[in-house]
């Protein structure tokens, strides 16, 4: 290509050779293939994690021994690592694995969808799969909770829930009440109602929020009575990150009455405690009440797809987005209602009821709680509390000093705050290393081990977990600490 230019003060033409607008071919970068990724060893995984993902997080993975494990596959209640050992999953991806790993019916539904080359992105056209999933979610929801927004995560579902409620409440009532030790997501909007300095860091968050203690009726009524700008209250029905914390039935019943009295919209965050985990489809159903808006995610995707949903009462939804002029204010995003994700969720909901997993969560959860209570009585100086509902259970240890011999307690007690979470970390690390059992932890009360096994969990799995925990606690605190320290120097 040549460019003809006319220099100043001369009639002569100058011919200039211009560079090519683009190279003839685009060179392929040094990419890793799917098969190479599958065959990657731990050393290479570690290098790439440090280089491209989260170097700081690796510190905690090393403390717990997680960095030594490469998961090759997963099935049912178990992960299988590079050495072929089966790890019992009592973590459950913070409640994302209701069906365990790779449930065959869910895999088959996805396989058929792919083989038939069905459509994925449904933006220009209506999707029969999104419509069917929305119908199914509405059928699973009590009362007039029947308007559904589909997204890809719990944070997105809660963003949609809070935006809808705030808009329906109106511009004269913009304030949102939330609870201490709440967790509603890490995205910028819901960060304002996530009560954790770790996550908030130094971000500038919305200031139209009011913080109150969880499960405190007087605080709710006082806030509603004294601040007429409050239009919304957002609460987890069971606080997960707070340490598996519940409120009494009368709290929820009175809350519903107060919201009706003061015209405040109630958003129930069921992202973690919903979808059958508590022994009912929604945890709030235990108390005979219905919120104005709620949200699901986690296991809604059947453990194979990222799916979240907001569900609202029709009256509330129509008030916020019910006209052609307002309909697109918060319509589905590009990946909301994707075909295969919806098919996965449709099949998962059918499996949930066909296999009686909600009933199983209630029965097996009761059994788990009974067995843990027996351990609490056996180790009263170690286990402080056992609580939960269904297969959402918290096991709380005493502060570290209280677990030691009496002579050491005064010396160590001054360090209790700094040592919070150490015992749960030791126990979690040793359960994995010595007993092939995986458990989780909580964000705010670090002395709590969080147990959220898949809803397919059976008594035999509970027995194996309890036997492992019993064997570990029987070593005594001093031995547990020594064993953990040894694991760090190997």
């Amino acid at each position: 290509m040549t460019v003809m230019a006319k220099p100043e003060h001369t009639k002569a033409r100058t011919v200039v050779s211009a560079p090519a607008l683009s190279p003839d071919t685009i060179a392929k970068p040094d990419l890793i293939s799917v098969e190479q990724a599958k065959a990657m060893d731990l050393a290479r995984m570690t290098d790439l994690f440090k280089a491209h993902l989260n170097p700081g997080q690796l510190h905690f993975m090393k403390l717990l021994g997680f960095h030594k494990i490469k998961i090759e596959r997963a099935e049912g209640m178990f992960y299988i690592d590079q050495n072929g050992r089966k790890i019992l999953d009592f973590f459950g991806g913070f409640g994302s694995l209701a069906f365990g790993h790779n449930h065959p019916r869910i895999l088959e539904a996805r396989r058929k969808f792919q083989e038939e080359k069905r459509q994925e992105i449904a933006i220009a056209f209506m999707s029969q799969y999104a419509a069917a999933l929305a119908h199914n979610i509405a059928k699973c929801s009590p009362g007039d909770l029947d308007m559904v927004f589909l997204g890809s995560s719990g944070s997105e579902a809660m963003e949609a829930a809070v935006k809808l409620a705030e808009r329906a409440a109106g511009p004269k009532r913009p304030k949102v009440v939330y609870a201490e030790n709440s967790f509603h997501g890490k995205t910028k909007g819901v960060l304002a109602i996530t009560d954790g300095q770790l996550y908030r860091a130094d971000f500038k968050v919305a200031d139209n929020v009011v913080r109150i203690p969880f499960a405190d009726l007087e605080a709710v009524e006082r806030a509603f009575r004294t601040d007429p700008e409050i239009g919304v209250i957002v609460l987890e029905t069971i606080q997960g990150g707070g340490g598996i914390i519940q409120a009494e039935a009368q709290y929820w019943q009175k809350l519903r009455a107060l919201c009706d009295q003061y015209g405040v919209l109630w958003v129930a965050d069921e992202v973690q405690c919903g979808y059958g985990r508590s022994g009912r489809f929604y945890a709030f159903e235990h108390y005979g009440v219905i919120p104005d808006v709620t949200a699901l995610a986690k296991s809604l995707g059947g453990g194979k797809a990222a799916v979240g949903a907001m569900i609202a009462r029709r009256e509330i939804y129509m008030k916020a987005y019910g006209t052609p002029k307002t309909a697109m204010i918060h319509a589905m995003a590009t990946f909301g209602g994707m075909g295969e994700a919806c098919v996965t969720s449709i099949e998962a909901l059918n499996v949930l009821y066909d296999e009686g997993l909600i009933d199983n969560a209630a029965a097996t959860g009761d059994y788990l709680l009974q067995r843990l209570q027996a351990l609490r009585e056996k180790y009263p100086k170690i286990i402080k509390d056992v609580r939960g509902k269904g297969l959402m259970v918290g096991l709380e240890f005493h502060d570290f000093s209280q677990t030691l011999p009496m002579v050491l307690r005064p010396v160590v007690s001054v360090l209790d705050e700094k040592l919070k979470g150490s015992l749960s970390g030791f126990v979690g690390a040793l359960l994995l290393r010595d007993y092939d059992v995986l458990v989780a932890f909580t964000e705010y009360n670090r002395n709590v081990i969080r147990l959220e096994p898949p809803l397919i969990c059976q008594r035999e799995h509970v027995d194996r977990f309890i036997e492992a925990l019993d064997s570990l606690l029987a070593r005594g605190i001093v031995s547990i600490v020594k064993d953990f320290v040894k694991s760090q120097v190997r």
Side-chain angles (χ1 to χ4, degrees):
M1 176 182 178
T2 58
V3 176
M4 307 299 292
K6 183 179 180 181
E8 293 183 29
H9 310 302
T10 179
K11 296 180 179 180
R13 292 185 301 172
T14 303
V15 178
V16 178
S17 295
L21 295 178
S22 63
D24 293 336
T25 59
I26 303 296
K28 182 179 180 180
D30 183 16
L31 303 179
I32 296 171
S33 70
V34 172
E35 286 304 312
Q36 288 171 329
K38 179 183 175 182
M40 191 179 295
D41 62 22
L42 279 169
R44 178 69 167 147
M45 289 166 62
T46 302
D47 288 343
L48 293 181
F49 193 94
K50 286 193 294 186
H52 304 298
L53 285 171
N54 193 328
Q57 187 179 355
L58 191 62
H59 165 77
F60 298 103
M61 297 179 78
K62 287 181 176 180
L63 280 177
L64 296 167
F66 291 0
H67 70 300
K68 299 177 182 178
I69 295 171
K70 176 189 176 184
I71 299 301
E72 295 287 1
R73 61 189 184 91
E75 184 174 356
M77 287 291 297
F78 297 93
Y79 288 101
I80 297 93
D81 76 358
Q82 73 272 28
N83 300 312
R85 71 165 175 157
K86 297 176 70 175
I87 299 170
L88 180 63
D89 186 4
F90 261 57
F91 167 32
F94 294 121
S96 299
L97 293 162
F99 308 94
H101 300 272
N102 291 305
H103 190 286
R105 273 183 57 179
I106 294 171
L107 292 182
E108 179 64 11
R110 291 169 67 84
R111 183 188 65 79
K112 284 185 177 180
F113 184 91
Q114 294 165 10
E115 287 181 352
E116 294 168 0
K117 295 183 172 64
R118 296 286 184 166
Q119 81 274 16
E120 279 286 9
I121 306 296
I123 299 175
F125 309 105
M126 290 186 291
S127 164
Q128 61 268 52
Y129 307 113
L133 176 57
H135 168 272
N136 287 358
I137 292 172
K139 285 294 184 182
C140 293
S141 303
D144 56 351
L145 286 168
D146 59 4
M147 296 300 291
V148 178
F149 168 90
L150 296 174
S152 304
S153 69
S155 291
E156 188 181 0
M158 284 303 299
E159 292 273 3
V162 174
K163 284 182 70 178
L164 180 140
E166 183 179 331
R167 181 168 172 77
K172 293 182 179 180
R173 305 189 69 177
K175 291 188 179 179
V176 180
V177 174
Y178 72 100
E180 293 175 0
N181 294 326
S182 61
F183 182 91
H184 298 292
K186 299 177 185 176
T187 50
K188 194 74 182 292
V190 289
L191 198 59
I193 54 173
T194 289
D195 187 39
Q197 190 54 44
L198 171 66
Y199 302 120
R200 287 190 176 195
D202 54 0
F203 295 111
K204 174 64 177 176
V205 298
D207 57 6
N208 61 322
V209 294
V210 178
R211 179 176 181 263
I212 63 170
F214 183 70
D216 186 333
L217 275 172
E218 291 184 3
V220 173
E221 186 163 17
R222 183 166 55 252
F224 288 2
R225 185 178 65 251
T226 59
D227 193 341
E229 290 191 347
I230 290 174
V232 181
I233 183 168
V234 183
L235 299 167
E236 296 161 273
T237 315
I238 301 174
Q239 286 193 326
I244 317 300
I245 305 299
Q246 302 175 75
E248 297 295 329
Q250 70 174 29
Y251 172 82
W252 299 109
Q253 293 157 5
K254 180 64 173 176
L255 174 72
R256 178 70 274 178
L258 286 172
C259 286
D260 293 340
Q261 178 183 345
Y262 288 93
V264 174
L265 298 178
W266 168 25
V267 177
D269 184 342
E270 293 262 339
V271 167
Q272 189 169 155
C273 62
Y275 204 82
R277 180 148 297 277
S278 72
R280 298 293 294 271
F281 188 80
Y282 292 105
F284 59 72
E285 291 183 272
H286 288 283
Y287 312 115
V289 291
I290 301 174
D292 299 295
V293 187
T294 188
L296 295 169
K298 304 293 186 185
S299 289
L300 184 59
K304 299 299 293 183
V307 183
M310 174 209 73
I311 311 94
R313 292 172 50 219
R314 173 171 291 272
E315 177 188 356
I316 305 301
Y317 183 92
M318 297 303 287
K319 189 173 182 180
Y321 307 131
T323 69
K325 185 178 180 180
T326 60
M328 302 305 291
I329 291 175
H330 199 92
M332 280 195 298
T334 306
F335 299 113
M338 286 186 69
E340 189 172 334
C342 287
V343 164
T344 305
S345 294
I346 290 167
E347 185 67 2
L349 276 170
N350 279 279
V351 171
L352 185 71
Y353 287 95
D354 290 346
E355 298 190 358
L357 297 185
I358 300 177
D359 292 334
N360 185 66
T364 307
D366 284 346
Y367 182 63
L368 173 60
L369 286 166
Q370 291 168 16
R371 300 255 7 223
L372 285 171
Q373 289 289 0
L375 280 189
R376 182 188 180 194
E377 293 172 7
K378 187 175 181 180
Y379 303 103
K381 294 181 180 179
I382 300 176
I383 299 176
K384 179 180 180 179
D385 192 22
V386 172
R387 55 183 177 266
K389 193 177 288 294
L391 288 173
M392 186 172 181
V393 174
L395 172 67
E396 183 175 4
F397 295 115
H398 286 288
D399 282 337
F400 199 79
S401 66
Q402 301 305 304
T403 68
L404 297 173
M406 190 66 72
V407 67
L408 296 175
R409 290 184 188 179
V411 178
V412 179
S413 63
V414 297
L415 298 173
D416 273 341
E417 192 58 37
K418 290 185 177 180
L419 291 173
K420 268 195 186 303
S422 56
L423 181 54
S424 58
F426 298 162
V427 169
L430 294 175
L431 279 173
L432 179 62
R433 190 194 74 176
D434 297 343
Y435 300 95
D436 301 336
V437 173
L438 180 66
V439 297
F441 310 96
T442 62
E443 287 90 341
Y444 302 127
N445 185 345
R446 299 189 305 278
N447 284 345
V448 177
I449 282 181
R450 178 169 12 189
L451 305 172
E452 296 185 13
L455 305 191
I456 63 170
C457 182
Q458 301 296 310
R459 286 192 171 206
E460 64 192 75
H461 302 121
V462 172
D463 290 339
R464 175 175 163 183
F465 166 70
I466 294 294
E467 288 163 9
L469 183 60
D470 189 6
S471 175
L472 177 56
L473 297 182
R475 299 181 191 180
I477 295 301
V478 174
S479 292
I480 288 173
V481 174
K482 287 181 178 179
D483 291 342
F484 177 80
V485 172
K486 288 178 183 177
S487 73
Q488 297 299 301
V489 297
R490 287 179 182 174

